Amino acid sequence: MAGARWNPERIAYGGDWSPEQWPEADWPAQLTALRDAGITTVTLGVFAWARLQPHPDVWDFAWFDRALDLLHREGFDVVLATPTASPPVWFSRAHPSSRVVDRDGVRLELGSRQNWCPSSPDYRRHASEVTRRLAERYADHPAVVLWHVNNELGCHNAECFCEVSAEAFRTWLRGRHETIDELNRAWGTAFWSQRYGSFDEIGAPARSTTFLNPAQVLDWRRFCSHELRRVLQLERDTLRSAGAKAPVTTNFMMGMGHAPGALDYHQWAQDVDVVSNDHYEVGWGDDEARLHEQVAWAGDLSRGVAEGRPWFLMEHAPSGVNWQRVNRSRRPGELRLATLGHVARGADAACFFQLVQSVAGAEKFHSAVIPHAGTQSRTYREASALGRELATLSEVVGSTVEASAALLFDWESAWAMQDPTMPSNDLQPMDTIRAAHRALGRLGTTADVVHPDRDLAGYRLLVVPSLYLCDDALAARLEGYARAGAEVVVTFFSGIADRDDRVRTGGYPGAFRGLLGVRSDAFTPLLPGIVVRAGGSDVGELAARTWTEEVEVRDAVVVARYDDGPWPGAAVLTRRAVGRGGAWYLASQLDVAGWRAVLARVGAELDARTPVPELSPRDGLLTDEVVEAIARGDLELVRRTGSGRAWTFALNHGTDPVRVRLPGEDLLTGRCAQVVELGAGGAAVVRAEVAGAV
Ligand code: GAL
């Protein structure tokens, strides 16, 4: 990341406001109500292109000037968005080749949004022009604190199969592979007679007869992420060269639902001054992953992508959304806990889509701070109460989150695992990492979700969850961390393939055989619903699903074995002592309870040597009551530290009250005490001075 720094003095509390949807006479009352709700920050312009440039040669900034000036007079900070997410209709009609072509070769019709091909030169030229004009006009506007490029790049147009895209793909492939022989090697085109004589013969991997070449598809996904990233770079560079000084961001879509997403944000993060994320909980929260565990995942991933720095929550929903099958409102108190959950995990901003609920269009039933009912509504009242609370948290801004564990995550590996030719389509790329993340949470351990290439030296516990594809160098690096004292937990289906998706031979798990001291020669995935019993004296009973292997133990200690299933008596969990640490292999998919038992055993190994804050009793914090509430998934405890102080966020998502020994001042209430008592849905942010904290 380079460029301007984002140094807010308070938690930015705000969201998208679309003055173009309202008569100008309504603006002042809307802004007064928003200010009364504690809103500090307004995102402006996201879908305003058609109003700013109603015809090819007509520009109309006067209304935008008035909106911006009014926001400034009323004391709001403005996140100024380039309006490039949706081009005006006249543009798309004049440049039909700019519209997206789907994998069936159908050019998509207008009438929705984001219908532009990422490679389209027409789109790029026009997007760049409106961006330039905006920056030239508002670079020095005193209200602008942040530039917001485009909106959720790739949300609906991550792939385009048009001829322009195919040509751009070929150019990208030339850059990556240099020669056609090298491409043929990397893609394994000896298989199925797929050999290419020249780059010109290669097409986009659109619909075909049956399975596509997985390496071609993986390169395509890399290319698609790269192509949209170029749009981010283009707009950012245009902003800068037109004089924009405020930091630049764009809203990523991380941790939403169970899919990995189409864009490699580890790379994208290099192009923004501050990482922003949009997050929407999915489902009702009564199923497997509870709502706050979804928030925790998104927060830990956002922070990992931001390399530990504070990040910006650009969008979440004040209450219900409008795009799930059934869209419920948030329960009383849910918004407060979700927001504090994001802040606990490093967000220094908490913004919404949207501030005023639309009365027309596809999102008219999406919630807003000011809903259809107006300010006489529970959502407005709760958002206002939250605004008052966030104002008490200014001293937390800029601090970092304490995490002793890291979960290794790589979008490329996840994409490769999504290929339908894997040993089991029931193993989805996010299954293992999400289960491990939830289990760590239920031990009270905060984990950073980080790219394998990151420096991992500070972490005591490293989890490598079904990291199918990785570099040759990773195993040696992990071995080094283990030697220095880390415990490394590698699961099944890790280290299998190299960066070209070519399988490592000699036995599974490929790259990690030596590190782990185990080997297997075949996978035996399980049919849905089949549960294999397993266990060991240190971890109790485990329920293994989805995956088994007949593990041959060469240089490791067996910690747990299968009791039945295809390999009764074979190892399912092993540990090899490595220097001052250890390397574990977990050969099956476990539920959260099983994962928790395994990670508690790993944590005990660490405790015996060097206490890991979240895994060991600290300052009397982890009483039985607290440990049980954390284990149920009710209590969330996360610490941010900075400037010699620590702030513990204690959030009770359960229905039972819980007492937590946290001496200090609760910023939310201003009360000092030794113990905080959290009722159902209760929250506290307790400040303590910490010796040694930085
Ligand atoms: C986001 C998008 C917003 C709005 C919101 C609804 O994906 O950026 O414009 O559509 O979802 O939840």
Side-chain angles (χ1 to χ4, degrees), residues 16 47 113 151-152 155 251 278 280 315 321-323 353 363 366:
D16 288 32
F47 291 104
R113 68 173 174 181
N151 188 66
E152 290 193 346
C155 181
N251 43 350
D278 291 355
Y280 294 90
E315 291 182 19
V321 297
N322 69 302
W323 40 261
F353 180 83
E363 294 185 321
H366 192 292

